[in-house]
Amino acid sequence: MRINKYIASSGVASRRKADELIKAGKVKVNGAVLDEPGYDVLAGDVVFVEGKKISLSEKKIYIALNKPTGFVTTASDDQGRPTVLDLLTDIEERVFPVGRLDYNTSGLLILTNDGDFSQLISHPGKGVGKTYRAKVQGIISREKLARLRRGVDIGGFVTSRAQAEIYKELPKHTVVDITIYEGKNRQVRKMFKAIGNPVLELERIAIGEVKLGRLARGSYRKLTAKEIESLKV
């Protein structure tokens, strides 16, 4: 099995992240730092990632978490900030987040130990929509809504077509539901900034057919078989 797939199947990280770990010299096979990203793991090989021995994970697990603000979407943080894994108090399997939500964004986050599944739903070509509810400064006109839907320049990159609808209008603010099909860093915040309406609060409320629903902030649940299959289609 190719090393990046082996790492992903062990529940450590996605294949893409595995490639980054290999490039950074954080993967060892049989005691030696691996410098071959195309290496095939053989029976009897001992693999370490960041100093920890790994093995193939047999039981696949898929979790929906309502991430609060103030948590980072990583396994550890060099600044000592709490991570989303700190919220999983009774999950024995080693899991990792699929994609990211930034520190000040709350809402739906999927975690798993299935690297192939993570790769599948994270790939831009798959077209899995991520829906956010954004409270923004000011009023969103029809013209601005149309710009969000067509795509906006967020600094050297023009976003693809999006779905955008007004959820609520307030005297000085607007709440907008927006679905994007890419995963650029802080993309939704940059889109609203580009049209002159900075984001004040941001929450992800859906990933494909998986909805946040009434899941309490900081709580989590396992995905249903139907939800898992909907993301694989």
Side-chain angles (χ1 to χ4, degrees):
M1 182 184 294
R2 191 180 174 94
I3 183 64
N4 62 355
K5 183 175 182 180
Y6 185 91
I7 293 172
S9 297
S10 74
V12 174
S14 66
R15 287 197 201 185
R16 185 182 302 174
K17 180 62 177 179
D19 286 333
E20 294 175 4
L21 290 167
I22 294 166
K23 187 176 181 180
K26 296 182 178 181
V27 176
K28 289 185 177 182
V29 177
N30 302 327
V33 174
L34 185 68
D35 57 6
E36 299 177 43
Y39 181 81
D40 286 322
V41 180
L42 304 175
D45 280 347
V46 180
V47 181
F48 281 78
V49 176
E50 296 185 310
K52 296 181 180 179
K53 184 179 178 181
I54 66 170
S55 58
L56 292 181
S57 178
E58 296 180 1
K59 182 182 178 183
K60 301 302 182 186
I61 185 169
Y62 310 87
I63 296 168
L65 166 73
N66 186 347
K67 174 194 171 298
T69 58
F71 284 76
V72 292
T73 314
T74 55
S76 61
D77 182 63
D78 55 10
Q79 299 180 40
R81 295 172 296 182
T83 79
V84 292
L85 298 186
D86 294 330
L87 297 166
L88 307 181
T89 55
D90 62 353
I91 301 298
E92 296 180 359
E93 294 82 2
R94 181 165 51 181
V95 296
F96 58 88
V98 180
R100 293 197 174 194
L101 286 178
D102 66 50
Y103 188 74
N104 293 316
T105 299
S106 63
L108 181 62
L109 182 69
I110 292 176
L111 300 101
T112 186
N113 59 357
D114 187 339
D116 289 337
F117 175 81
S118 173
Q119 184 81 2
L120 185 68
I121 65 176
S122 298
H123 196 282
K126 178 63 178 174
V128 177
K130 281 82 172 177
T131 304
Y132 297 80
R133 181 159 291 162
K135 180 181 178 182
V136 304
Q137 186 174 306
I139 304 302
I140 300 289
S141 64
R142 289 185 179 180
E143 179 185 353
K144 288 185 174 182
L145 205 60
R147 286 181 62 193
L148 291 171
R149 291 168 177 164
R150 288 195 306 266
V152 294
D153 189 333
I154 58 173
F157 177 82
V158 178
T159 61
S160 63
R161 289 182 176 273
Q163 299 177 37
E165 301 291 341
I166 303 296
Y167 177 74
K168 184 186 296 184
E169 291 183 319
L170 303 168
K172 296 182 179 180
H173 310 114
T174 308
V175 181
V176 181
D177 285 352
I178 181 168
T179 302
I180 62 172
Y181 299 89
E182 302 146 308
K184 297 295 182 182
N185 185 40
R186 299 175 66 84
Q187 180 174 328
V188 172
R189 293 180 184 275
K190 290 177 180 178
M191 290 173 73
F192 281 102
K193 184 178 180 180
I195 65 169
N197 298 87
V199 169
L200 303 174
E201 297 175 14
L202 187 61
E203 178 182 42
R204 184 157 66 192
I205 59 175
I207 299 174
E209 298 300 316
V210 180
K211 312 296 183 185
L212 182 63
R214 296 184 179 181
L215 187 63
R217 194 68 54 83
S219 297
Y220 53 93
R221 63 174 178 83
K222 291 184 179 179
L223 295 186
T224 66
K226 184 177 180 181
E227 287 174 326
I228 296 168
E229 288 305 311
S230 75
L231 293 171
K232 290 182 177 180
V233 173

